[in-house]
Amino acid sequence: MKRIILGLVLALMCGNLFPQAKKPTLMVVPSDAWCIQNGYATTYDNQGIQVVLPDYQAAFQNNMDLKLVVAKIDDLMAERGFPLKNLEQTMRSIAQREAEDNMITGKNSGASLLENPLDKISNVAKADIIIEITWDVKKTGPKSTLSFIMEAKDAYTNKSIGGASGTSEPTFSSEPVVLLEEAVLAHIDNFNVRLQNHFDDLFANGREVSLEIRVFDNDEGIDLESEYDGMELAEIIDEWMEANTVQGRFSKLDASESLIRYEQVRIPLYKESGAAMDTESFARQLHTMLRKEPYNLPVKIINRGLGRTILVIGDK
């Protein structure tokens, strides 16, 4: 009996010492290819270049199969313990901010902001991984098959993490959601292993983002070669980066008196409070330091997507 009690105590202690691994937050979206092929896309003129962007809102309003397919993938991932951000709910949040965003125009040209819809969604949802889904149903006589492609991308870098593809067995059912479940089940567990491995790497080595430091043309003559206590501002920022990135990991690609470009910047996955850390939150810590003594610098933060932020010195 003592051994049984001791075993139970040890099991409880181990459960506290080694909690279940935290899983990444996911969001499932239709791929650009699916949206374009099915007529849910908008073409913009971006300085003479035609840019085709998916129209998620039109797709969800007009295609019930999309709603059912996304819901089914959400369910399959949730059953395996992966937390999800719902695309439709996120789009509603974005719609509430659209009126304000549409009022932002360039001072000289009057041009409105052009932003990829997926960037908007990622900025609001702040999911770790985006899963893009493409599918196609084919009929052969009375039977149907469904072929699918799922590709997972890091929401911050847009780099591919892994994919899965397959085709369902011919069946008399023509419902995409039924065919999809059959086709996906054979691949989803291996797919999830790759997602978890990627997230474990982020947890251990930090999230990969990009950060740019720029300088406004200013009357005070402030630039990245300005000195404080015998050190140039660029050196001070480099030291701050070494101290605040995970294991001091980052790459410095460009450096001049007016520009520093950092890539492959590994930032902590979470703040001390336990909230998720994104690129803007990380940059704001540097922003706070530069505004204090002995620098007293005016600094502006410009967010350029979930994984890229620009910090501009010399004005606000």
Side-chain angles (χ1 to χ4, degrees):
M1 178 61 71
K2 290 182 178 180
R3 289 182 179 179
I4 294 174
I5 294 173
L6 179 60
L8 290 172
V9 171
L10 289 173
L12 290 171
M13 290 177 63
C14 289
N16 291 329
L17 291 173
F18 304 103
Q20 186 177 11
K22 187 175 179 64
K23 291 185 179 293
T25 302
L26 312 176
M27 175 172 278
V28 180
V29 304
S31 71
D32 287 7
W34 185 91
C35 290
I36 293 169
Q37 288 171 5
N38 288 276
Y40 305 119
T42 306
T43 302
Y44 293 90
D45 187 309
N46 185 16
Q47 299 180 350
I49 299 174
Q50 297 298 305
V51 180
V52 180
L53 298 176
D55 189 339
Y56 299 124
Q57 184 172 359
F60 271 95
Q61 288 176 343
N62 296 283
N63 195 299
M64 182 58 67
D65 286 343
L66 172 63
K67 295 168 69 75
L68 294 173
V69 164
V70 170
K72 174 52 67 175
I73 298 294
D74 282 355
D75 288 345
L76 291 174
M77 300 304 289
E79 287 172 2
R80 287 154 178 80
F82 286 87
L84 291 129
K85 298 292 182 73
N86 182 268
L87 177 57
E88 277 198 276
Q89 291 177 1
T90 302
M91 288 168 57
R92 291 191 190 100
S93 298
I94 292 171
Q96 294 174 0
R97 307 188 330 183
E98 283 288 287
E100 297 177 6
D101 290 345
N102 289 338
M103 296 299 294
I104 301 175
T105 60
K107 291 182 179 179
N108 298 321
S109 65
S112 60
L113 292 176
L114 178 63
E115 188 175 11
N116 188 304
L118 189 53
D119 287 340
K120 290 184 181 180
I121 289 169
S122 297
N123 286 333
V124 174
K126 290 183 167 55
D128 298 302
I129 295 171
I130 301 294
I131 298 177
E132 295 185 351
I133 179 74
T134 304
W135 75 94
D136 182 50
V137 177
K138 285 185 168 52
K139 290 186 71 68
T140 304
K143 293 187 176 183
S144 301
T145 59
L146 179 143
S147 298
F148 80 95
I149 300 173
M150 287 197 308
E151 184 178 8
K153 295 181 178 180
D154 185 295
Y156 286 69
T157 64
N158 205 35
K159 292 181 178 179
S160 179
I161 300 167
S165 61
T167 302
S168 66
E169 293 293 327
T171 177
F172 288 106
S173 173
S174 60
E175 295 293 330
V177 68
V178 175
L179 297 169
L180 180 76
E181 182 172 13
E182 179 190 330
V184 168
L185 282 175
H187 304 274
I188 194 167
D189 290 327
N190 288 334
F191 180 69
N192 288 348
V193 167
R194 288 195 288 273
L195 303 188
Q196 187 63 50
N197 288 342
H198 174 75
F199 188 73
D200 290 343
D201 174 71
L202 298 184
F203 200 89
N205 299 307
R207 192 188 299 282
E208 183 179 329
V209 301
S210 301
L211 177 65
E212 289 185 20
I213 313 295
R214 296 184 182 179
V215 178
F216 276 118
D217 186 11
N218 58 86
D219 296 333
E220 290 78 12
I222 300 169
D223 60 30
L224 294 169
E225 293 179 350
S226 301
E227 293 193 7
Y228 300 86
D229 296 328
M231 289 183 65
E232 291 187 356
L233 185 57
E235 296 177 277
I236 293 167
I237 294 174
D238 281 347
E239 286 195 352
W240 185 92
M241 292 286 289
E242 290 175 7
N244 288 274
T245 51
V246 176
Q247 301 174 20
R249 296 176 62 181
F250 63 91
S251 298
K252 187 176 180 180
L253 299 186
D254 297 309
S256 69
E257 63 182 17
S258 60
L259 169 68
I260 302 175
R261 183 174 291 114
Y262 297 107
E263 297 284 349
Q264 298 176 319
V265 179
R266 290 285 190 154
I267 68 173
L269 207 58
Y270 300 103
K271 305 175 188 177
E272 291 183 0
S273 65
M277 174 84 80
D278 60 19
T279 320
E280 183 180 359
S281 301
F282 178 75
R284 197 161 292 282
Q285 295 176 8
L286 177 58
H287 168 273
T288 300
M289 184 196 79
L290 294 174
R291 293 182 62 191
K292 293 180 178 179
E293 293 284 350
Y295 315 109
N296 298 317
L297 294 171
V299 184
K300 180 182 182 68
I301 287 181
I302 303 173
N303 200 21
R304 284 291 181 265
L306 202 56
R308 178 171 171 252
T309 296
I310 301 170
L311 192 150
V312 192
I313 298 170
D315 203 346
K316 292 194 66 176

